[in-house]
Amino acid sequence: MIIAETINEVRKYVKEQKMMGHTVGLCPTMGYLHAGHASLVRESAKRCDYTVASVFLNPTQFAQNEDLAGYPRDFERDCRILEENGCDLVFHPSVEEMYPEGFATYVEIQSEMPRQLCGKTRPTHFRGVCTVVNKLFNIVTPDMAFFGEKDAQQLAIVKQMARDLSMDVEVIGCPIVREEDGLAMSSRNTYLNPEERKASGILSDALELGKKLYNDGNDDAEAVTKAMSELIEQEPLARIDYVSAVNAFTMMPVEKLSSDALFALAVYIGKTRLIDNLRLS
């Protein structure tokens, strides 16, 4: 497995692969990988001839009051996970490589989609996501790019960006990977102490409650999400950011639940903000 730290290196290796007629897959990550990231790499390795993973903690998607400085890092461990799961090249640039002095161009979707859910409390987050993903697409020129469905809003926004800008890449969502108790895997799970880790199960419990109510014939989105919120509020360590029912493609709120709907939630367990979602189809 090759480790590349510069844009020119990545372009050189990818160009060689494409000259041989090989397809290229990209798995963008911010590092501190877990089984969810590994599943993206395996899917890319299965579907593409050559797999590139980026390990870059992107500062432009963090606000000043967020956890950039304390975000977990372990690049050597990341490389072991990537190599074990079929990665061929790791792109591990510095901040200066991605955002050189004088950098002043950003990519932003001008619709209500990025203003929903996480965008309500993180107004600059998706501008940072779109900018770095756009750069990665331009650098790697992948045929396919793999993203986890846990970040449902991010996935929908990246797909919209790729369509709007006529990008020659297929954006593929991969299923959420969960712990045995149902908690969606996330690098931020490492912030939780044992008591908080136990309490975090309330997120998946709330999603399962919403699904059960829907399957029992309840299609009133407000009533179902209220019941989900009430369940979460029973956990003393939990503080709700949002519990919403939205269209799975547009991320806009829905009044009636259907197979196109998605339950999405963000909940603080202690000081750690966790997100999760469940599609009703």
Side-chain angles (χ1 to χ4, degrees), residues 39-96:
S39 72
L40 305 183
V41 177
R42 287 196 302 273
E43 187 66 16
S44 176
K46 182 172 74 175
R47 299 179 64 165
C48 301
D49 299 313
Y50 194 77
T51 292
V52 178
S54 61
V55 176
F56 177 62
L57 189 54
N58 177 37
T60 66
Q61 65 193 72
F62 289 79
Q64 288 188 345
N65 62 336
E66 293 180 340
D67 59 341
L68 175 62
Y71 198 88
R73 299 163 170 85
D74 191 339
F75 183 61
E76 289 186 9
R77 176 177 167 275
D78 291 343
C79 286
R80 289 197 300 272
I81 292 171
L82 291 170
E83 189 163 25
E84 288 169 1
N85 287 278
C87 181
D88 298 292
L89 185 151
V90 183
F91 181 36
H92 184 50
S94 65
V95 173
E96 292 74 23

Side-chain angles (χ1 to χ4, degrees), residues 7-243:
I7 293 168
N8 286 339
E9 285 178 276
V10 174
R11 286 179 166 157
K12 171 181 175 291
Y13 289 118
V14 170
K15 184 177 181 180
E16 290 172 355
Q17 294 299 316
K18 294 208 166 190
M19 287 179 67
M20 292 186 284
H22 292 168
T23 55
V24 176
L26 170 65
C27 303
T29 85
M30 294 206 301
Y32 210 74
L33 306 187
H34 51 67
H37 296 109
S39 72
L40 305 183
V41 177
R42 287 196 302 273
E43 187 66 16
S44 176
K46 182 172 74 175
R47 299 179 64 165
C48 301
D49 299 313
Y50 194 77
T51 292
V52 178
S54 61
V55 176
F56 177 62
L57 189 54
N58 177 37
T60 66
Q61 65 193 72
F62 289 79
Q64 288 188 345
N65 62 336
E66 293 180 340
D67 59 341
L68 175 62
Y71 198 88
R73 299 163 170 85
D74 191 339
F75 183 61
E76 289 186 9
R77 176 177 167 275
D78 291 343
C79 286
R80 289 197 300 272
I81 292 171
L82 291 170
E83 189 163 25
E84 288 169 1
N85 287 278
C87 181
D88 298 292
L89 185 151
V90 183
F91 181 36
H92 184 50
S94 65
V95 173
E96 292 74 23
E97 180 73 7
M98 292 295 280
Y99 301 109
E101 184 176 357
F103 184 90
T105 302
Y106 292 87
V107 179
E108 188 169 12
I109 291 179
Q110 295 292 317
S111 75
E112 291 302 311
M113 182 188 289
R115 298 184 178 95
Q116 306 304 309
L117 305 176
C118 291
K120 290 182 178 179
T121 54
R122 307 182 73 191
T124 62
H125 173 69
F126 290 112
R127 184 183 78 163
V129 169
C130 285
T131 300
V132 76
V133 171
N134 194 302
K135 285 180 68 72
L136 289 170
F137 285 179
N138 286 331
I139 293 163
V140 179
T141 62
D143 298 282
M144 301 179 189
F146 300 83
F147 294 82
E149 291 177 351
K150 181 178 78 71
D151 298 293
Q153 187 176 15
Q154 171 179 276
L155 176 59
I157 285 170
V158 170
K159 285 184 174 181
Q160 178 81 46
M161 178 185 73
R163 287 194 302 270
D164 288 352
L165 299 183
S166 304
M167 294 176 166
D168 189 19
V169 56
E170 182 181 359
V171 178
I172 297 168
C174 297
I176 298 171
V177 178
R178 298 184 179 276
E179 304 281 2
E180 287 187 9
D181 64 353
L183 179 66
M185 289 194 172
S186 168
S187 301
R188 288 188 170 94
N189 291 353
T190 58
Y191 296 163
L192 303 170
N193 65 36
E195 185 182 9
E196 292 168 341
R197 177 63 186 81
K198 184 177 179 181
S200 65
I202 200 69
L203 277 76
S204 56
D205 290 346
L207 291 171
E208 288 301 322
L209 173 62
K211 182 178 180 180
K212 180 180 184 303
L213 292 172
Y214 171 69
N215 289 340
D216 288 344
N218 298 285
D219 66 353
D220 185 312
E222 183 177 359
V224 173
T225 55
K226 181 181 179 183
M228 294 167 63
S229 297
E230 289 173 348
L231 177 62
I232 295 170
E233 288 165 353
Q234 294 176 21
E235 170 51 61
L237 295 180
R239 177 169 59 88
I240 294 172
D241 183 349
Y242 63 78
V243 176

